[in-house]
Each structure stands twice: as C-alpha cells, then as structure tokens.
Amino acid sequence: MPLLEMTTRPHAGRTVVRLRGDLDIASSEDLRTYLDDARREHGERLVLDLAGLEFMDSGGLSVIVSCFKAVTAAGGSLTLAAPRPLIRRTLVVTGLHRRIPVADTLEDAIGGPGPG
C-alpha cells in the first residue's frame, strides 16, 4: 500500500498541497497536521492537488471537510484539483462536490476565482 506523500508550494496567491498515495485512516491525522501547518505558514487559500491520490476513505474525507470549514471560516478557500475517477466518484457519492469546489485540472483550480 502506498504511503501518503504531501508537498507544498505557493502559486499565484494560493498554496498548492500535492497528495500522492493513499489517504486513509492510517494517514489522515498526518494530513490534518500537515494542512494546519500549511495554513499557518502560507495562509487560508489552499488547493489540494489530488491527481496523485489513489485511494481515500472516510477518514480522509473527514480531514478535507474539516479543512474546508476552517479555511472558509477564516475567509479563505479550498479547491480540490484533478481528482482521479475513483476519488471523484467518492466526492459525488458523498455530495461533497456540491459544497467544496472541484476543478478538473490543477490549472483550472489555480486560475479560478478566489473566495467570494
């Protein structure tokens, strides 16, 4: 089972957090801590690049929802970018695609409108 790899880079006033591997109960708390640190260091405008995410369970969904609530409460934004079909299906089945913006590509997410 692939471990979850997380990297961060600033881009056009946003922070892109790239996820690769599996986001499951074993890695969800690591991601929660990583996103909290990224928000403190870089601000409240995040893009999660999901192109390399191979699997996500309810623990991962919970971290993403918590992050979304925190950044929007602080006046920021969270966009999910380039989810693979399995991850997109999870977002649709749970209805999260109606609450959290989902972009087809990282470029669409970065070039999209800011909060408002």
Side-chain angles (χ1 to χ4, degrees):
M1 169 173 25
L3 299 173
L4 182 66
E5 297 175 20
M6 301 164 280
T7 57
T8 303
R9 69 177 170 90
H11 189 279
R14 291 183 168 95
T15 301
V16 177
V17 178
R18 180 178 174 198
L19 304 180
R20 291 179 50 103
D22 290 353
L23 175 52
D24 57 18
I25 193 163
S27 58
S28 60
E29 285 307 311
D30 291 339
L31 178 60
R32 186 182 311 275
T33 300
Y34 191 88
L35 291 174
D36 288 346
D37 291 346
R39 290 176 48 226
R40 267 193 302 280
E41 188 173 336
H42 302 288
E44 303 290 347
R45 296 185 67 203
L46 300 179
V47 174
L48 294 187
D49 179 355
L50 305 180
L53 194 62
E54 297 173 22
F55 174 82
M56 178 171 59
D57 70 6
S58 61
L61 285 171
S62 176
V63 172
I64 290 172
V65 169
S66 294
C67 182
F68 175 74
K69 288 179 179 180
V71 297
T72 55
S77 63
L78 174 67
T79 302
L80 307 179
R84 293 177 179 209
L86 178 65
I87 304 301
R88 182 177 292 277
R89 182 169 184 265
T90 301
L91 297 170
V92 170
V93 166
T94 59
L96 285 178
H97 71 294
R98 290 191 295 268
R99 288 189 61 203
I100 302 173
V102 179
D104 289 336
T105 67
L106 180 58
E107 293 74 23
D108 288 346
I110 293 170

